[in-house]
């Protein structure tokens, strides 16, 4: 079967294996197939969820098994979608403590990528919400892992990109909320320096993110809209709004692959100008927005990856330590602006420390840029990789489709400890993705 990630690049042949019947079948599939990796909902952008020889499809394991309301602990199978949890528990006054930019991610995938949200600077990544998990090892044996039980294997699995085995089940913490609304405050940053300062000033705010106009240059390089947010209280939700409303499931969809010329410098520049003006008009006023557009703005458009055409797109997401952040991120944005390569999406966030051996987050600032696949883009991204590596930063494995082994090895100091865990459980050569083969993990 020809498989691809959300970026639709690269595409690889891999034998699909559907897991449906629980731990016994899952253990058999894992133990009997070499060169395999688990795959959730296919939202990793590159080749992380494509097995070298076989790919274990986990969406069939989608049951919610237990909920301790007093402790806010929910036990689910690894194939449950984050969106399913929200739709089930938000009406009861509970929300996930950490969500990425899409709700169409499985719990197993969220753990394997240690996904982060707009609150990483305060609350950490998804791994920090995991109380315990059940992992199917290459032998087919199932073990329980937590910070206090099989702790090294737990740390290797959080952010380990599925390379320690299949996450069959997890117990995660939920948080109590009074409403489904976010109290949002929008501020305008005229350049990158002001954007970084605004994110620093929002350290005590739960959620913060910056949208960047990546095509602005000169004195306006890095001009941004900063969105800070808090969960709204019951007293703030008035005017007949349903306090714990779940977002409607209806959404637009991109029915066909758009022509490659649709996203060009002129079209993206026009969109950025309109978006910036609209956001600037909001000023510093507080507004109530539903959780869906605040956390998952692109989920409102089905198959939005088709916007980039048949060749697909790459997302380059890096994190740079704070001491070098402004200089390095300015240079990245300047090179993109000079190249004329239009990024439809450019997002800046502040991160804290990661919790897993291969977790992407580190203390600093992360910049994510989307670009169409083309022959000219690869040399530019290689140059940017070098800037990031020299600054002591790294690239996000869940978004990666093309970084070099040297860049990867320079960015992840606990790589050898991770490899040792893989050796100790017999995962080398057995649990293998296209990403792990490419990067020598």
């Amino acid at each position: 079967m020809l498989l691809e990630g959300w970026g639709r690049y690269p595409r690889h042949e891999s034998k699909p294996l559907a897991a449906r019947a629980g731990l016994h079948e899952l253990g058999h599939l894992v133990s009997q197939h070499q060169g395999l990796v688990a795959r959730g909902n296919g939202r990793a952008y590159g080749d992380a969820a494509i097995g070298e020889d076989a790919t274990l499809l986990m969406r069939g394991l989608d049951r919610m098994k237990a909920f301790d309301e007093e402790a806010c602990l929910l036990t689910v199978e690894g194939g449950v979608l984050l969106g399913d949890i929200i739709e089930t528990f938000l009406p009861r006054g509970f929300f996930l403590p950490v969500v990425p930019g899409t709700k169409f991610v499985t719990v197993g995938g969220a753990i394997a990528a240690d996904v982060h949200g707009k609150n990483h600077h305060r609350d950490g990544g998804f791994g920090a919400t995991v109380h315990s998990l059940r992992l199917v090892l290459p032998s087919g044996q199932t073990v329980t892992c937590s910070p206090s039980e099989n702790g090294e294997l737990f740390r290797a699995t959080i952010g380990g990109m599925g390379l320690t085995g299949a996450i069959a089940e997890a117990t995660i913490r939920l948080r109590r909320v009074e409403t489904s609304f976010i109290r949002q405050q929008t501020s305008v940053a005229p350049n990158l320096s002001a954007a970084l300062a605004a994110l620093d000033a929002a350290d005590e705010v739960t959620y913060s993110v910056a949208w960047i106009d990546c095509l602005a240059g000169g004195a306006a390089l890095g001009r941004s809209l900063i969105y800070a947010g808090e969960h709204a209280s019951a007293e703030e939700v008035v005017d007949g709004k349903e306090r714990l409303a779940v977002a409607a499931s209806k959404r637009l969809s991109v029915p066909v692959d758009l022509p490659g010329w649709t996203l060009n410098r002129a079209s993206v520049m026009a969109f950025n100008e309109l978006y910036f003006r609209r956001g600037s008009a909001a000023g510093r006023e507080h507004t109530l927005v539903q959780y869906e557009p605040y956390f998952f703005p692109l989920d409102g458009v089905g198959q939005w990856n088709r916007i980039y055409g048949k060749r697909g797109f790459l997302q380059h997401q890096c994190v740079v330590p704070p001491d070098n952040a402004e200089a390095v991120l300015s240079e990245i944005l300047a090179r993109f602006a000079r190249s004329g390569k239009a990024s439809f999406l450019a997002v800046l966030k502040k991160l804290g420390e990661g919790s897993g051996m291969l977790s992407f987050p580190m203390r600093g600032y992360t910049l994510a840029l989307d670009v169409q696949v083309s022959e000219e883009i690869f040399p530019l991204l290689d140059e940017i990789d070098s800037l990031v590596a020299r600054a002591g930063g790294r690239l996000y494995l869940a978004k990666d489709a093309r970084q070099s082994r040297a860049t990867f090895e320079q960015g992840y100091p606990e790589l050898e400890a991770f490899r040792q865990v893989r050796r100790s459980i017999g995962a080398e050569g057995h649990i293998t993705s296209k990403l792990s083969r490419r990067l020598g993990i």
Side-chain angles (χ1 to χ4, degrees):
M1 183 179 187
L2 191 63
L3 291 177
E4 60 190 18
W6 186 245
R8 306 177 72 192
Y9 174 91
R11 299 177 175 95
H12 293 294
E13 288 284 346
S14 186
K15 180 181 179 180
L17 303 169
R20 295 191 182 92
L23 286 175
H24 178 74
E25 182 205 39
L26 189 58
H28 177 76
L29 289 173
V30 172
S31 64
Q32 295 302 308
H33 292 85
Q34 301 281 325
L36 146 148
V37 78
R39 179 185 178 94
N41 203 34
R43 285 302 181 112
Y45 279 53
D47 50 6
I50 304 173
E52 179 73 7
D53 298 309
T55 300
L56 186 59
L57 308 179
M58 297 289 289
R59 280 288 289 122
L61 300 177
D62 60 355
R63 294 180 299 168
M64 300 185 199
K65 303 184 72 173
F67 182 53
D68 182 336
E69 185 166 342
E70 184 176 347
C72 300
L73 291 176
L74 172 66
T75 300
V76 299
E77 291 181 325
V80 170
L81 291 175
L82 302 188
D84 293 337
I85 295 174
I86 294 170
E87 290 178 11
T88 302
F89 286 93
L90 182 56
R92 299 170 61 176
F94 296 92
F95 198 74
L96 288 160
V98 174
V99 292
T102 174
K103 64 182 179 182
F104 300 117
V105 173
T106 63
V107 168
I111 294 170
D114 193 17
V115 296
H116 57 276
K118 298 174 174 65
N119 57 335
H120 194 278
H121 62 287
R122 279 192 47 163
D123 300 322
F126 196 87
T129 76
V130 179
H131 179 267
S132 63
L133 59 87
R134 300 191 74 188
L135 182 71
V136 178
L137 300 177
S139 64
Q141 175 190 4
T142 300
V143 297
T144 299
C145 302
S146 71
S148 59
E149 184 177 1
N150 294 311
E152 283 296 288
L153 184 54
F154 181 77
R155 287 194 65 241
T157 301
I158 302 297
M161 303 311 297
L163 298 176
T164 58
I167 299 169
E169 186 178 296
T171 298
I172 60 175
R173 283 181 290 275
L174 302 186
R175 65 173 297 169
R176 297 180 187 274
V177 295
E178 296 182 12
T179 77
S180 60
F181 290 84
I182 300 296
R183 183 177 70 254
Q184 176 180 289
Q185 183 175 7
T186 304
S187 58
V188 179
N191 52 46
L192 179 62
S193 180
L196 296 174
L199 290 176
D200 288 342
D203 272 349
E204 299 306 313
V205 177
T206 301
Y207 302 108
S208 61
V209 63
W211 169 86
I212 293 186
D213 180 357
C214 66
L215 290 181
L221 181 72
R223 70 172 182 170
S224 308
L225 298 172
I226 315 297
Y227 299 105
E230 300 283 358
H231 288 279
S233 67
E235 291 74 19
E236 293 174 281
V237 178
V238 292
D239 298 331
K241 294 185 176 74
E242 187 179 344
R243 185 167 61 87
L244 288 167
V246 173
S249 58
K250 291 183 179 180
R251 55 189 182 135
L252 300 173
S253 188
V254 180
V256 296
D257 297 322
L258 297 186
W261 50 262
T262 306
L263 286 182
N264 54 53
R265 184 179 180 89
S267 64
V268 173
M269 184 175 288
F271 171 83
N272 285 2
E273 184 63 32
L274 178 64
Y275 191 86
F276 187 78
R277 289 186 181 184
R278 181 182 176 186
S280 300
R284 303 185 66 85
E285 296 179 3
H286 286 97
T287 56
L288 287 183
V289 297
Q290 262 279 8
Y291 72 92
E292 185 93 0
Y294 186 79
F295 292 114
F296 316 122
L298 289 176
D299 282 353
V301 182
Q303 296 182 293
W304 62 262
N305 54 352
R306 285 182 163 181
I307 292 172
Y308 292 88
K310 291 183 179 180
R311 298 187 68 179
F313 72 100
L314 301 163
Q315 182 167 110
H316 187 280
Q317 183 166 2
C318 66
V319 57
V320 181
D323 290 347
N324 303 311
E326 185 172 346
V328 173
L329 297 179
S330 292
E331 182 61 24
I332 291 173
L333 291 170
R335 292 194 186 200
F336 260 94
R338 289 197 300 268
S339 73
K341 299 301 177 184
S343 176
F344 179 66
L345 181 70
V347 175
L348 178 70
K349 289 183 288 194
K350 190 172 184 179
L351 300 181
E353 296 294 341
S355 55
M357 292 179 182
L358 293 189
S359 290
F360 164 71
M362 62 191 299
R363 195 171 65 88
Y365 303 89
T366 177
L367 175 66
L369 299 165
D370 284 356
V371 288
Q372 286 177 301
V373 171
S374 67
E375 293 301 323
E376 315 89 72
I377 200 64
F378 289 93
L380 174 62
L381 295 180
D382 288 342
E383 293 173 10
I384 291 172
D385 289 353
S386 296
L387 293 173
V388 172
R390 287 199 299 271
R394 55 182 174 235
L395 307 186
Y396 192 12
L397 295 177
K399 304 292 180 68
D400 177 48
R402 32 69 46 200
Q403 72 170 303
S404 70
R405 185 177 299 189
T407 297
F408 164 67
E409 291 180 344
Q410 190 171 341
Y412 286 85
E414 290 194 81
L415 175 58
E416 188 48 47
F418 182 80
R419 286 172 170 157
Q420 178 55 43
V421 171
R422 273 178 47 85
R423 286 191 289 267
S424 71
I425 61 173
E428 276 193 334
H430 192 115
I431 307 294
T432 309
S433 64
K434 292 293 185 181
L435 177 140
S436 72
R437 178 70 68 190
R438 173 168 56 87
L439 297 180
I441 303 175

